[in-house]
Amino acid sequence: MLYLFQSASEVGPWCENIIVMAQITDQQNEDTGSISIQRIEHTTGWRVVDFREIWEYRDLFYFLVYRDVKTRYAQSVLGIGWAVAQPIFMMIVFSVIFGRLVGVGSDGLPYVVFSYTALVPWTYFSGALGASTGSLTSNKNLLSKVYFPRLIIPLTSILAKLVDFLIALILVAVLMIWYGIAPSIWAVMLPVYVLIMLATVAGLGMWLTALSVQFRDVSYGIPLGIQLLMYLSPVVYPVSVVPDKFRPYYALNPMSAVIDGFRSGLLGATEPQFDLLLIGSGVALVLIVTGAMYFKRTERIFADVV
Amino acid sequence: MSDVAIRVEGLSKRYRIGLAEERADTLASSVANLVRQPVRNFRKLASLTRFSDSSDDAEDIIWALRDVHLDIPAGQVIGLIGSNGAGKSTLLKILSRITEPTSGSATIKGRVSSLLEVGTGFHPELTGRENVYLNGSVLGMRRSDISRRFDEILAFAEVEKFIDTPVKRYSSGMQVRLAFSVAAHLEPEVMLIDEVLAVGDAAFQKKCLGRLDGVAQEGRTVVFVSHNMSAVRNLCERAVLLEHGSVKQDGQIDEVMNTYLNVDTGIPPEQVWDDPTTAPGDDRVKLRSIRVTAGGRLLPEIDYSSNFDVEVNYQNHTQNLRVAVSVHIRNSRGDLVFTSGNTPDATDGLDPWYGKPQPVGLFKTTCTVPGRLLNEGAYSVSVFLVGAFVKDAMARAPEVVSFQIKDMRRGEREYQGEWQGIIRPILKWHTESVEGHEPASIEA
């Protein structure tokens, strides 16, 4: 491919040479088809994500995800079992405290299934967000030694955590069989909810990753933020307990829609809440678009400040 | 060659370095500082990447590169040399798109691979095979390219047996060999290499140099940064000397290297006589090389406080000859600062070969000069080979190599000016009170 110059103003004083080079390039293109010209200079302003470039680096993307998955539980006894340990123990604690002691409602479902179904997407959300935010700082070495589209790094953590998510999801099926719960027709909506979840994580992830390179506070603030956000999401209680006047604000959190969608689709005790779905997917879309834009805007300084 | 592979035009790069913190001298002001701290931290972190044009020469800005112009024809192997902080690595980082220039531009024709470190992306828990694929893709290789060259990579690294073992069980030498081997099988048109040969054992380094030389022969364009001067000399035809971010000299490797290595004297720190007919000496013994090194490296400047070695290699052609080596050091004004030799009267401990009948062969005599002895400045070295117990010089090499002494810690010293005198020894000093009207006490 040929990266020449976007505008005439960039051509500068040696345009004659460029023309010569471009001609040479054209000739060689006929022979080899693979001579490229790269122009390196200071860039400013907003840029769009270069999907073609990310596609060119797909092998790197693949191997980085592979590395993340393969090494995450290396040299541990439980291994991949750790993927389900967190939601299981949270489920046990929540069932005892909120289900038994406090007596929080669960739409008539066993509290164990009720909370675990919410904990699966939530655990993914919190894990992937944490991992992607720290990803640039922990891959500092890669950043400062080689070039590749920087977006690959936070996206790698997000994709690698999907493996844990899928394994935790299998346990939902086990619990459903155990309690004799059949999925509802709304289960066909699950892929949409998974997409909303991914968009939310990716969007927030790109924002926070880019910010955390310059301001380490972000990394310290995230565990706190995630914990607070959990109580603003219907993890330990059903959506029905939220007062109507707060509902529009509550819907701004796309994870409310996601958790609601998982419960309605898999457990079928309630209908999906379409106001949550609509507002939540809108917010997720805004997050992923602005996140990508902010990331692209700041990525040029990553290697200098990381 | 009209075909330019890399064109660098007016390239500059500035960094902002953090300013010193304000110091609080009262409790009240340290509390006030504590409150103001987050605001100030925010400003500081945000300003790391923001520059206003008026702050061009502000004290917290350093120019890592300033207005660098370079044209590198396709197929040329070029060495970037210069002392630490001269901007070599920054230039390579900009060319490999890791960081953006502040102004100016660079245009590169062809597929670029940069090798700023061997084994980038290596993970200790992954097997050798997995790491080859990971590292290869980090360096921009396609999965299919790696598979195609996999056997060659293994053979070059000599780790076939352990390829499915996690690399954390490898010795560090094996890890380096595997990592370098991946890099050595890249096939870009333009290759940017930074100081990566400083790793591995000597034999493997030699193999890598051979491989690099092969790369150069294949018509690739190579930009090579190294402190290993003999590697640069062997590989490159052209060199660019960077100093404080600007190009100081650009030209033939030998000329540029001489500028770099001998700032004042015009005499290099290393002298090698490849041709025995021109080498100093008679038919009994001939000099092969003389060099001055500190920490094993040829340097343009030797720190005042570090030891350095004068290393003399000579070929003995006569069975049972007794050779003594003598060294004269002169300063830039021509004063003979000292003379020494490996006779027992002048050595600290005994030179094991001194006075012994030596067989025919190559000998290396090293004289270690302690640091904190010679004053700052340029010095020349003369070397003489004499028969032991006699005054008859068999080889004379007057003022053939030179070196520079510089106090790298001058800025940290109490007295920052220059010391007078030919030598600058560190001596023991002591003052005591002998007589006084009141009982003198140092503590008072």
Side-chain angles (χ1 to χ4, degrees), chain A residues 3-303:
Chain A
Y3 298 107
L4 271 178
F5 311 101
Q6 288 105 19
S7 69
S9 63
E10 289 176 22
V11 171
W14 51 286
C15 50
E16 288 169 14
N17 293 323
I18 292 171
I19 293 163
V20 172
M21 279 171 65
Q23 284 168 351
I24 293 168
T25 307
D26 283 340
Q27 285 167 7
Q28 291 189 348
N29 265 340
E30 286 165 20
D31 301 338
T32 64
S34 68
I35 296 288
S36 66
I37 292 187
Q38 274 175 11
R39 174 130 171 129
I40 298 162
E41 61 193 344
H42 189 65
T43 55
T44 48
W46 303 95
R47 281 177 300 175
V48 290
V49 177
D50 188 346
F51 289 104
R52 199 183 53 183
E53 195 188 29
I54 293 181
W55 175 245
E56 270 169 33
Y57 279 87
R58 62 187 179 276
D59 287 344
L60 174 62
F61 202 173
Y62 169 82
F63 283 115
L64 286 175
V65 173
Y66 178 89
R67 179 189 74 172
D68 259 26
V69 173
K70 169 116 196 245
T71 60
R72 180 153 345 119
Y73 302 113
Q75 208 167 345
S76 73
V77 178
L78 270 188
I80 201 79
W82 284 108
V84 286
Q86 203 195 342
I88 286 180
F89 282 98
M90 298 266 283
M91 169 193 82
I92 293 171
V93 171
F94 288 169
S95 301
V96 171
I97 295 177
F98 296 107
R100 282 282 160 81
L101 300 181
V102 184
V104 174
S106 54
D107 297 332
L109 293 160
Y111 196 87
V112 171
V113 200
F114 174 82
S115 62
Y116 186 76
T117 310
L119 276 166
V120 169
W122 183 260
T123 308
Y124 172 76
F125 174 79
S126 68
L129 199 57
S132 77
T133 307
S135 61
L136 282 181
T137 12
S138 58
N139 285 294
K140 189 179 176 165
N141 207 27
L142 275 186
L143 279 190
S144 58
K145 297 295 179 193
V146 277
Y147 174 79
F148 54 90
R150 289 358 190 162
L151 255 179
I152 286 181
I153 291 287
L155 296 184
T156 294
S157 323
I158 289 167
L159 284 189
K161 283 276 181 194
L162 269 182
V163 176
D164 290 18
F165 172 73
L166 291 175
I167 290 166
L169 208 54
I170 293 171
L171 205 71
V172 176
V174 173
L175 284 175
M176 284 164 66
I177 295 167
W178 179 263
Y179 285 100
I181 298 167
S184 76
I185 181 70
W186 297 112
V188 295
M189 295 276 289
L190 277 180
V192 175
Y193 287 110
V194 170
L195 276 182
I196 297 175
M197 177 179 81
L198 288 176
T200 309
V201 171
L204 274 179
M206 286 185 287
W207 266 108
L208 297 175
T209 309
L211 280 170
S212 73
V213 170
Q214 199 159 3
F215 303 101
R216 290 291 144 80
D217 310 63
V218 175
S219 327
Y220 304 128
I222 277 180
L224 177 66
I226 287 177
Q227 209 153 29
L228 294 179
L229 199 60
M230 192 185 82
Y231 291 99
L232 287 174
S233 311
V235 177
V236 296
Y237 53 84
V239 179
S240 51
V241 304
V242 177
D244 278 350
K245 59 175 177 174
F246 293 127
R247 186 77 176 226
Y249 309 107
Y250 194 77
L252 287 174
N253 171 10
M255 286 310 287
S256 306
V258 173
I259 292 168
D260 176 63
F262 270 71
R263 281 202 185 123
S264 58
L266 290 173
L267 309 178
T270 49
E271 301 268 293
Q273 308 289 306
F274 287 103
D275 58 332
L276 294 185
L277 175 61
L278 208 66
I279 299 175
S281 48
V283 170
L285 192 69
V286 168
L287 279 177
I288 195 166
V289 170
T290 57
M293 283 167 69
Y294 182 72
F295 192 94
K296 286 300 283 182
R297 191 185 159 86
T298 44
E299 73 173 353
R300 62 182 75 106
I301 56 146
F302 285 169

Side-chain angles (χ1 to χ4, degrees), chain A residues 14 36 43 66 75 214 304, chain B residues 9 13 45 100 110 130 168:
Chain A
W14 51 286
S36 66
T43 55
Y66 178 89
Q75 208 167 345
Q214 199 159 3
D304 294 341
Chain B
E9 283 216 309
K13 172 81 184 176
L45 290 174
E100 272 194 356
E130 291 163 335
K168 64 176 176 181

Side-chain angles (χ1 to χ4, degrees), chain B residues 66-361:
Chain B
R66 201 151 202 180
D67 199 25
V68 171
H69 291 261
L70 269 186
D71 268 1
I72 303 172
Q76 192 172 58
V77 181
I78 182 169
L80 283 183
I81 58 181
S83 37
N84 289 334
K88 304 174 303 255
S89 298
T90 306
L91 182 54
L92 280 201
K93 279 192 174 178
I94 291 174
L95 292 180
S96 37
R97 295 208 286 161
I98 291 163
T99 180
E100 272 194 356
T102 308
S103 60
S105 70
T107 311
I108 304 184
K109 213 181 88 183
R111 228 159 66 97
V112 185
S113 263
S114 56
L115 188 58
L116 305 195
E117 181 189 62
V118 284
T120 311
F122 257 49
H123 196 288
E125 298 284 353
L126 296 180
T127 67
R129 182 187 304 274
E130 291 163 335
N131 270 311
V132 166
Y133 277 93
L134 179 62
N135 184 232
S137 58
V138 162
L139 294 173
M141 287 167 100
R142 282 279 150 75
R143 205 192 313 193
S144 52
D145 297 338
I146 306 171
S147 303
R148 193 162 44 81
R149 314 208 63 176
F150 194 79
D151 293 336
E152 277 175 70
I153 293 174
L154 280 203
F156 188 85
E158 304 161 20
V159 294
E160 289 98 329
K161 263 190 260 172
F162 309 99
I163 195 61
D164 290 311
T165 311
V167 298
K168 64 176 176 181
R169 313 243 181 268
Y170 283 29
S171 71
S172 56
M174 281 161 70
Q175 289 191 23
V176 166
R177 287 210 302 274
L178 188 63
F180 194 89
S181 177
V182 178
H185 290 81
L186 291 168
E187 290 171 313
E189 280 107 20
V190 177
M191 216 167 169
L192 310 168
I193 304 174
D194 192 3
E195 197 68 87
V196 289
L197 294 173
V199 291
D201 55 56
F204 190 72
Q205 276 187 24
K206 209 168 167 185
K207 195 167 161 185
C208 294
L209 280 175
R211 175 80 204 177
L212 273 182
D213 207 29
V215 167
Q217 302 299 321
E218 287 162 26
R220 310 258 180 83
T221 312
V222 181
V223 182
F224 183 56
V225 167
S226 180
H227 283 114
N228 181 342
M229 286 302 144
S230 52
V232 176
R233 200 194 300 265
N234 287 338
L235 288 172
C236 307
E237 42 206 290
R238 173 180 164 201
V240 170
L241 173 59
L242 288 178
E243 201 176 88
H244 307 304
S246 310
V247 176
K248 194 181 176 207
Q249 201 186 355
D250 177 355
Q252 279 276 228
I253 180 81
D254 288 324
E255 293 165 24
V256 178
M257 203 165 282
N258 282 347
T259 315
Y260 170 58
L261 288 174
N262 45 274
V263 188
D264 279 353
T265 54
I267 311 172
E270 179 184 32
Q271 194 65 254
V272 181
W273 293 278
D274 289 323
D275 178 7
T277 56
T278 58
D282 54 23
D283 47 4
R284 290 171 288 179
V285 63
K286 279 203 190 291
L287 281 165
R288 287 285 289 271
S289 68
I290 301 169
R291 60 177 65 92
V292 181
T293 58
R297 284 186 4 187
L298 286 174
L299 295 170
E301 284 163 344
I302 295 167
D303 183 38
Y304 162 72
S305 61
S306 65
N307 296 351
F308 61 91
D309 294 330
V310 178
E311 186 190 303
V312 179
N313 282 283
Y314 59 90
Q315 177 78 38
N316 179 19
H317 296 291
T318 318
Q319 189 65 29
N320 294 335
L321 190 70
R322 294 163 211 252
V323 184
V325 184
S326 153
V327 163
H328 294 191
I329 306 284
R330 282 177 195 276
N331 66 14
S332 52
R333 289 181 310 184
D335 303 320
L336 182 58
V337 181
F338 69 81
T339 66
S340 186
N342 62 343
T343 68
D345 311 334
T347 56
D348 177 11
L350 199 65
D351 182 343
W353 274 106
Y354 177 77
K356 300 255 168 63
Q358 291 170 237
V360 172

Side-chain angles (χ1 to χ4, degrees), chain B residues 304-305 337 371-376 379 405-410 413 415 417-427:
Chain B
Y304 162 72
S305 61
V337 181
R372 313 211 289 181
L373 171 67
L374 297 181
N375 207 347
E376 292 183 272
Y379 294 87
I405 299 286
K406 193 181 171 193
D407 190 350
M408 312 287 186
R409 277 188 283 270
R410 180 185 279 193
R413 288 191 338 235
Y415 170 64
E418 257 173 62
W419 289 86
Q420 303 274 301
I422 292 173
I423 59 169
R424 198 180 121 192
I426 298 293
L427 307 173

